[in-house]
């Protein structure tokens, strides 16, 4: 069993499972792909009839829902757990929302392919995705009329962070990224005639700087390593940052040439990572919580769209971040409504019961209800049929985990698997709510009860 391995050996087995290059996701509708694969004459997309645009939009929305579910399934079932969790981190770091399946799918594939590789490659490749170029308006960044959106977010959110650049640096960087565009097929398209090839000065460096030069200058700043390392520390270790440890890790990260795999190895093999102050201190994000529950309690979900309802209820819809800064995380994940939903859901799944809450309309996602394709998709998610969590729990598979557990310590064994920290409620207080009719029912009952506790929300 995994629990019998020493932490360092366990980590290396997890790391090894993530070494294989991930298979690209491709859930886009063939007809949609065929349409965008054709050479596009200037203005052709603008020339589409309203009903054609609406059809494309509707199909894209449906396909993004498929991509969402496909990734949830991969996170749940894949042995490459480190790669998928690292990809989820980068998904929030490089937040983008285009409502374009071709673009969103390509960005996710770039992230997953580079999630444990080199940060330079990841940053460069993400910056050239059609998703990021469209989301941050670099398609409109032209010589003589620079758009500063991508240049600003590249520094503020993706590399060195606020306070380490000037407004002049933003303007000069924007000039360097003029001409960076994207094709309807989702490819990178450099447009020389729109590029400003004049002399620029950025962070003390002067020359005919290109966008690639700007990215390299940012990577040459040790502050970039500090910024990234601190964000990873908050996601994987503790919201309360130990500055001394982060600085040591950041130096190693910078000196390694931004080797993400090496950074994660340093974190997960450090003795301080397993100190009590770093255990059970973080609130699981909605996606981590849902995937974790599915991994611990094997189930076959008959209506997978219900997971999108849960994402909306709990505040983390994949491919739909609240803004370019991504999801804030931490205590933002929990309010009285979402905590109650989390605590009720295990019992709802157990009984295949109804989710009584209804997702709120996201004004940003709904485009003020002007976009009919999006509006209909949200309406579909809110339909009564998708309010029931219809799942078959594979209890036989789960209960096998306790075949060698003697009866007196069954409760403790289940608790140790599910919870990171001990509960303030003692075993006797919990047992009075447990079904004691037979051993299997007892294990089932303990599991559902523990999954419905506040402690289960922590990792």
């Amino acid at each position: 069993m995994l629990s019998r391995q020493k932490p360092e050996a366990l980590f290396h087995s997890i790391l090894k499972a993530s070494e294989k290059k991930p298979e690209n996701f491709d859930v886009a509708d063939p007809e949609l792909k065929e349409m965008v694969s054709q050479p596009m004459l200037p203005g052709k997309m603008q020339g589409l009839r309203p009903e054609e645009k609406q059809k494309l939009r509707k199909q894209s929305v449906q396909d993004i829902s498929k991509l969402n579910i496909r990734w949830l399934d991969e996170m749940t079932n894949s042995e490459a757990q480190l790669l998928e969790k690292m990809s989820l981190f980068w998904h929030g770091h490089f937040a983008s929302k285009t409502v374009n399946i071709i673009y969103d799918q390509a960005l996710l594939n770039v992230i997953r392919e580079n999630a444990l590789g080199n940060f330079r490659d990841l940053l460069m490749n993400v910056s050239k995705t059609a998703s990021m170029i469209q989301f941050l308006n670099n398609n409109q960044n032209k010589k003589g009329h620079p758009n500063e959106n991508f240049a600003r977010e590249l520094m503020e959110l993706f590399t060195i962070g606020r306070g380490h650049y000037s407004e002049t640096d933003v303007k000069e960087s924007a000039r360097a990224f003029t001409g960076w565009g994207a094709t309807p097929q989702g490819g990178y398209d450099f447009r020389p005639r729109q590029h400003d090839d004049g002399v620029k000065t950025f962070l003390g460096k002067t020359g005919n700087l290109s966008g690639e030069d700007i990215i390299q200058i940012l990577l040459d700043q040790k502050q970039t390593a500090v910024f990234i390392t601190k964000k990873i520390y908050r996601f994987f270790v503790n919201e309360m940052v130990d500055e001394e440890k982060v600085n040591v890790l950041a130096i190693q990260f910078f000196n390694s040439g931004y080797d993400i795999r090496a950074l994660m190895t340093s974190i997960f093999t450090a003795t301080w990572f397993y100190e009590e102050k770093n255990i059970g201190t973080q609130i699981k994000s909605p996606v981590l919580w849902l995937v974790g529950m599915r991994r611990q309690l094997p189930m076959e979900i008959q209506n997978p769209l219900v997971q999108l309802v849960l994402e909306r209820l709990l505040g983390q819809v994949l491919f739909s971040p609240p803004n370019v800064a991504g999801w804030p995380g931490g205590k933002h994940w929990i309010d009285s409504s979402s905590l109650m939903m989390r605590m009720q859901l295990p019992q709802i799944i157990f009984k295949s019961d109804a989710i009584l809450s209804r997702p709120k309309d996201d004004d940003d996602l709904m485009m003020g209800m002007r976009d009919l394709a999006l509006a209909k998709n949200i309406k579909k998610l809110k339909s009564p049929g998708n309010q029931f969590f219809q799942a078959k729990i594979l209890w036989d598979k789960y209960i096998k985990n306790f075949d060698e557990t003697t009866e007196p310590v069954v409760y403790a064994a289940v608790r140790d698997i599910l919870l990171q920290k001990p509960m303030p409620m003692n075993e006797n207080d919990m047992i009075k709510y447990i079904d004691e009719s037979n051993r299997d029912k007892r294990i089932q009952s303990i599991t559902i009860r523990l999954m419905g506790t506040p402690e289960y929300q922590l990792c």
Side-chain angles (χ1 to χ4, degrees):
M1 293 179 64
L2 292 179
S3 58
R4 294 174 182 170
Q5 294 188 39
K6 292 183 178 180
E8 187 169 341
L10 176 57
F11 169 74
H12 283 294
S13 66
I14 293 172
L15 185 64
K16 184 174 179 59
S18 294
E19 287 179 352
K20 184 179 178 181
K21 181 180 176 180
E23 180 181 348
N24 281 350
F25 292 150
D26 184 5
V27 302
D29 179 75
E31 186 177 339
L32 185 150
K33 287 196 295 183
E34 175 65 23
M35 183 171 184
V36 300
S37 69
Q38 303 301 318
M40 290 285 181
L41 296 174
K44 181 177 178 182
M45 289 298 290
Q46 287 75 13
L48 291 176
R49 296 192 303 273
E51 58 269 26
E52 291 176 322
K53 289 183 179 180
Q54 182 180 328
K55 182 180 178 181
L56 280 175
R57 187 78 163 175
K58 180 179 180 180
Q59 187 62 57
S60 198
V61 169
Q62 291 175 351
D63 289 347
I64 290 171
S65 294
K66 291 179 186 176
L67 182 61
N68 189 323
I69 293 168
R70 174 71 181 86
W71 194 18
L72 287 176
D73 287 344
E74 189 70 17
M75 285 189 259
T76 300
N77 300 314
S78 173
E79 293 183 359
Q81 284 298 290
L82 181 59
L83 182 143
E84 297 303 338
K85 187 169 182 179
M86 201 77 226
S87 298
L88 183 62
F89 167 79
W90 294 123
H91 179 63
H93 182 76
F94 294 112
S96 174
K97 179 168 62 176
T98 65
V99 199
N100 181 319
I101 181 59
I102 303 297
Y103 288 8
D104 288 356
Q105 184 171 264
L107 174 57
L108 178 59
N109 286 334
V110 165
I111 286 174
R112 293 178 67 244
E113 185 174 333
N114 294 277
L116 284 168
N118 185 279
F119 180 68
R120 181 193 183 281
D121 296 337
L122 175 62
L123 178 63
M124 189 70 74
N125 290 330
V126 165
S127 298
K128 291 185 175 182
T129 60
S131 180
M132 194 58 68
I133 287 171
Q134 176 176 306
F135 186 52
L136 295 181
N137 309 115
N138 215 73
N139 266 327
Q140 290 82 49
N141 190 13
K142 303 174 183 178
K143 181 178 181 179
H145 301 280
N147 184 300
E148 299 175 1
N149 202 9
F150 174 74
R152 184 180 301 279
E153 307 305 356
L154 174 66
M155 289 183 280
E156 179 179 330
L157 298 174
F158 301 163
T159 53
I160 54 179
R162 286 184 182 179
H164 300 280
Y165 57 90
S166 67
E167 284 301 306
T168 299
D169 290 322
V170 175
K171 296 179 185 300
E172 295 290 88
S173 175
R175 290 177 57 210
F177 285 105
T178 52
W180 281 41
T183 68
Q185 297 82 18
Y188 170 70
D189 181 25
F190 180 66
R191 299 157 184 170
R193 293 183 179 182
Q194 297 179 5
H195 178 64
D196 183 341
D197 58 1
V199 174
K200 313 164 189 78
T201 299
F202 176 73
L203 293 180
K205 304 289 185 180
T206 300
N208 178 15
L209 303 175
S210 65
E212 290 88 349
D213 293 329
I214 296 296
I215 290 174
Q216 186 56 54
I217 291 169
L218 287 168
L219 290 167
D220 290 339
Q221 311 299 309
K222 291 184 178 180
Q223 173 57 27
T224 292
V226 172
F227 182 81
I228 299 299
T229 303
K230 185 175 293 187
K231 198 166 181 180
I232 286 174
Y233 187 97
R234 285 197 180 105
F235 188 89
F236 285 92
V237 184
N238 198 319
E239 283 282 328
M240 301 295 291
V241 174
D242 186 319
E243 298 288 348
E244 184 178 344
K245 288 183 173 59
V246 164
N247 288 334
V248 171
L249 290 168
I251 291 171
Q252 295 173 354
F253 189 37
F254 183 82
N255 291 339
S256 73
Y258 291 97
D259 186 331
I260 302 168
R261 187 185 302 268
L263 173 61
M264 302 314 294
T265 300
S266 294
I267 291 173
F268 284 109
T269 58
T271 55
W272 50 258
F273 179 80
Y274 302 95
E275 291 177 357
E276 186 176 352
K277 65 180 181 180
N278 293 326
I279 303 298
T281 60
Q282 294 176 293
I283 299 170
K284 298 174 186 173
S285 77
V287 169
L288 287 178
W289 171 78
L290 177 59
V291 168
M293 184 164 55
R294 287 183 59 189
R295 283 184 65 82
Q296 289 177 320
L297 190 59
M299 64 183 75
E300 296 173 352
I301 302 176
Q302 277 78 47
N303 57 336
L305 278 175
V306 73
Q307 296 170 103
L308 276 62
V309 175
L310 287 173
E311 287 183 1
R312 289 183 59 75
L313 282 170
L314 300 177
Q316 189 183 25
V317 181
L318 295 174
F319 310 105
S320 185
N323 51 56
V324 68
W327 295 275
K331 293 182 180 179
H332 291 88
W333 291 131
I334 294 291
D335 58 26
S336 57
S337 175
S338 62
L339 180 58
M340 187 62 66
M341 182 72 256
R342 287 181 182 224
M343 294 173 69
Q344 290 175 343
L345 189 68
Q347 194 70 28
I348 289 172
I349 297 173
F350 184 52
K351 294 183 176 181
S352 290
D353 210 342
I355 299 172
L356 299 179
S357 301
R358 295 291 185 271
K360 296 179 181 179
D361 293 333
D362 181 335
D363 289 337
D364 186 29
L365 183 61
M366 295 287 281
M367 308 296 187
M369 292 298 291
R370 289 194 297 271
D371 192 310
L372 294 178
L374 286 168
K376 288 179 179 178
N377 193 55
I378 298 303
K379 185 177 180 180
K380 182 179 180 182
L381 290 180
K382 295 171 72 175
S383 67
N386 283 320
Q387 296 303 313
F388 286 82
F389 203 117
Q390 300 168 4
K392 176 185 178 183
I393 300 176
L394 306 179
W395 284 115
D396 288 348
K397 185 175 180 181
Y398 174 77
I399 290 173
K400 282 183 179 179
N401 291 315
F402 308 99
D403 282 351
E404 298 179 14
T405 304
T406 58
E407 195 60 33
V409 294
V410 164
Y411 175 88
V414 177
R415 179 198 62 206
D416 291 346
I417 283 179
L418 298 181
L419 304 184
Q420 293 286 314
K421 278 195 167 184
M423 293 175 54
M425 179 185 294
N426 65 45
E427 182 176 344
N428 291 331
D429 291 331
M430 176 68 79
I431 283 177
K432 59 186 177 184
Y433 299 104
I434 301 303
D435 184 344
E436 299 280 5
S437 54
N438 58 55
R439 177 183 169 85
D440 285 0
K441 293 290 186 183
R442 186 171 186 233
I443 292 174
Q444 293 176 18
S445 183
I446 292 170
T447 299
I448 297 302
R449 289 288 181 182
L450 289 178
M451 283 185 164
T453 62
E455 289 75 18
Y456 188 71
Q457 317 312 317
L458 302 175
C459 63

